[in-house]
Amino acid sequence: SGNIDIVIDVSVCDSTLILLVKDNGCGIEETRLQEIRDGLERRVDWMKNSVGLANVHQRIRTAFGSEYGLVIDSRPSGTVIQLRLPAMF
């Protein structure tokens, strides 16, 4: 199998800090991706042993509002996790 590359990109757009973590792996199967996305919005049973992403997402939203938090997208060519925070400087 080939190498998996991970790229981290940081930018600021309209007073929002955007941190992107991208890989070029095989992606996340669509059903599993939807489970992960659903788990970010509300803690579901399968996440009781894996609450890290949901915990981070909910804490960011509680502190800064619903326009911030985590967004996860995946295709067969890789996965992208976007973390959005208010730019405070």
Side-chain angles (χ1 to χ4, degrees):
S1 75
N3 291 334
I4 301 295
D5 295 317
I6 298 174
V7 176
I8 300 172
D9 182 36
V10 180
S11 62
V12 176
C13 181
D14 297 326
S15 300
T16 300
L17 175 70
I18 302 170
L19 174 73
L20 294 176
V21 180
K22 308 177 213 178
D23 72 31
N24 64 340
C26 61
I28 301 170
E29 193 269 329
E30 186 62 36
T31 303
R32 178 71 173 127
L33 180 60
Q34 192 57 52
E35 288 175 348
I36 293 168
R37 288 174 175 158
D38 290 345
L40 290 178
E41 298 306 319
R42 62 186 188 287
R43 191 166 172 208
V44 293
D45 287 342
W46 67 267
M47 290 193 72
K48 64 183 164 194
N49 294 323
S50 179
V51 297
L53 288 177
N55 189 14
V56 168
H57 179 68
Q58 293 302 326
R59 285 175 180 257
I60 291 169
R61 286 193 157 197
T62 298
F64 304 116
S66 62
E67 65 269 31
Y68 301 105
L70 295 170
V71 177
I72 301 174
D73 192 23
S74 190
R75 293 182 174 77
S77 58
T79 299
V80 178
I81 298 178
Q82 182 182 118
L83 172 61
R84 299 175 60 86
L85 295 167
M88 298 178 182
F89 40 76

